[in-house]
Amino acid sequence: MGTAQASPKNVTGSAAVSATPCTFRGLSLRDASGATNTVDLFDNPSAAAGTVVATVVLAASGYEQISVPDGVRCASGLWLQATGALVGSVWTG
């Protein structure tokens, strides 16, 4: 039995990725701010608080793609906090 497919959630900056429990499966992000951009993902449905699930530092106009095949379970939800504008998506299942 294989792992369930992930669904992409479009992100442009700090916001809830999932307001309910989910599994973080990866991301594909590009900085759109023109400056170094730190992106933190939290196991929290509505704020940048709680357990940090992942952190990515994007160079100005930089790109990062991360795949987590087995996923990371987020018991509360998933919040993305960014220091600048983004283009891309976070993958959840």
Side-chain angles (χ1 to χ4, degrees), residues 53-84:
V53 176
T55 298
V56 176
V57 178
L58 301 169
S61 302
Y63 168 82
E64 186 74 40
Q65 183 167 318
I66 297 172
S67 179
V68 185
D70 290 333
V72 175
R73 187 72 182 147
C74 299
S76 298
L78 190 60
W79 178 267
L80 182 144
Q81 185 71 35
T83 57

Side-chain angles (χ1 to χ4, degrees), residues 29-59:
L29 299 174
R30 180 175 54 84
D31 169 66
S33 68
T36 301
N37 196 339
T38 300
V39 178
D40 293 311
L41 291 158
F42 294 87
D43 184 352
N44 191 312
S46 60
T51 302
V52 176
V53 176
T55 298
V56 176
V57 178
L58 301 169

Side-chain angles (χ1 to χ4, degrees), residues 17-25 42-44 71-79 90-93:
V17 174
S18 177
T20 60
C22 66
T23 301
F24 170 65
R25 302 219 184 255
F42 294 87
D43 184 352
N44 191 312
V72 175
R73 187 72 182 147
C74 299
S76 298
L78 190 60
W79 178 267
V90 175
W91 313 328
T92 61

